[in-house]
């Protein structure tokens, strides 16, 4: 692939099944999300009926990602939602900490051809605050045995010297599991990652990034812009009352696109670490070349 052409990810809709995550990881802006959601109308836990109604108008080429702004399996209907989505021929991705998941869930999920089944791993300093007890370890072993399609073990490294929880690491090494490591970002300025973010988009004309088509469905049917929008600043519509096609043709979305062109406009994108500054073609090519030479990685 050319350094000047980055293949865009397919569009997706992330499902937030629950407001409030009991993990309360140190690098997750749960408080901001909970306080913002209180200002909206609707239940804090997504019902199966709401889910099934909301996805009716979603095209089947849109991936459904069970992740969003909280642990999906804190909602007891999550496995039923996944199986329904599979029956409706959606492509499915999962991001989970395993908290709330039961052995029966793991067995039921085995036949689903996941695009990815990502498990976020606990650390040894309680930064993730994922409780590692016998129930967790039992689920970890069961998942290793069931080995759902495209299973990925993921650990977020912070600026501290935190590592994977020793009991968890021991089990994973015994089963020769492949581990992937990622850094942290500030979630558009909502958390302190311990390192200063390189924000270059204040007072600049911006361009639409790929996450404009990776939206988040909330338990009340509202759809917010992306996985950076923990304060729910950009609600694009509601799938209980609107078709999915209206989300990217409606007034809220069009206003956001216009605001990208206005350097002083107060939009979430001006706090985001993703590099989406609008540049003329020669400058853009030079910028990409410099990133390639320096080895600078994209945040996401």
């Amino acid at each position: 692939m050319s350094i000047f052409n980055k293949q865009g990810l397919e569009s997706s809709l992330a499902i937030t099944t629950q407001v409030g995550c009991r993990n309360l990881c140190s690098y997750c802006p749960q408080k901001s999300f909970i306080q913002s959601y209180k200002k909206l109308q609707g239940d804090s836990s997504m019902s199966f009926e709401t889910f099934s109604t909301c996805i009716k108008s979603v095209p089947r080429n849109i991936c459904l990602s069970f992740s969003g702004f909280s642990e999906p399996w804190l909602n007891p209907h999550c496995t039923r939602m996944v199986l329904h989505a599979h029956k409706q021929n959606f492509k499915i991705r999962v991001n989970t900490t395993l908290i709330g998941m039961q052995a029966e869930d793991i067995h039921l999920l085995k036949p689903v051809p996941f695009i990815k089944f990502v498990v976020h791993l606990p650390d040894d300093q309680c930064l993730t605050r994922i409780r590692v007890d016998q129930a967790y370890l039992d689920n970890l072993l069961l998942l290793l045995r069931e080995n759902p399609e495209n299973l990925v073990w993921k650990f977020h490294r912070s600026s501290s010297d935190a590592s994977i929880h020793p009991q968890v690491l021991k089990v994973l090494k015994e089963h020769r599991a492949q581990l992937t490591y990622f850094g942290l970002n500030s979630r558009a300025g909502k958390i302190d990652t311990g390192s200063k973010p390189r924000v270059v988009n204040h007072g600049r004309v911006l361009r639409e990034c790929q996450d404009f088509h990776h939206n988040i469905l909330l338990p009340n049917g509202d759809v917010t812009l992306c996985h950076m929008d923990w304060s729910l600043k950009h609600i694009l519509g509601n799938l209980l009352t609107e078709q999915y096609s209206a989300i990217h043709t409606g007034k809220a979305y069009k206003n956001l696109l216009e605001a990208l062109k206005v350097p002083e406009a107060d939009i979430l994108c001006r706090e985001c670490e993703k590099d989406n500054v609008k540049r003329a073609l020669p400058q853009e090519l030079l910028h990409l070349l410099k990133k390639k030479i320096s080895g600078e990685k994209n945040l996401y």
Side-chain angles (χ1 to χ4, degrees), residues 50-75:
T50 291
F51 172 75
S52 60
T53 299
C54 286
I55 67 170
K56 280 182 180 178
S57 68
V58 179
R60 296 307 183 263
N61 65 320
I62 305 297
C63 173
L64 296 187
S65 178
F66 288 83
S67 52
F69 294 145
S70 66
E71 164 55 54
W73 270 269
L74 290 177
N75 185 316

Side-chain angles (χ1 to χ4, degrees), residues 152-172:
V152 176
W153 303 95
K154 182 177 182 179
F155 182 69
H156 283 282
R157 279 189 170 133
S158 67
S159 57
S160 71
D161 57 354
S163 184
I164 298 173
H165 191 286
Q167 287 179 278
V168 174
L169 186 60
K170 180 175 183 292
V171 172
L172 294 174

Side-chain angles (χ1 to χ4, degrees), residues 187 203 238 292:
R187 299 299 181 187
N238 187 293
K292 182 73 174 179

Side-chain angles (χ1 to χ4, degrees), residues 31-50:
K31 289 183 180 179
S32 177
F33 171 50
I34 293 169
Q35 290 170 359
S36 298
Y37 190 82
K38 284 180 180 178
K39 299 174 185 177
L40 305 177
Q41 293 183 341
D43 295 333
S44 60
S45 185
M46 183 180 288
S47 68
F48 177 79
E49 290 72 23
T50 291

Side-chain angles (χ1 to χ4, degrees), residues 166-185:
Q167 287 179 278
V168 174
L169 186 60
K170 180 175 183 292
V171 172
L172 294 174
K173 283 187 172 181
E174 287 173 351
H175 289 78
R176 299 182 179 180
Q178 293 294 113
L179 307 178
T180 57
Y181 294 85
F182 284 77
L184 295 173
N185 63 71

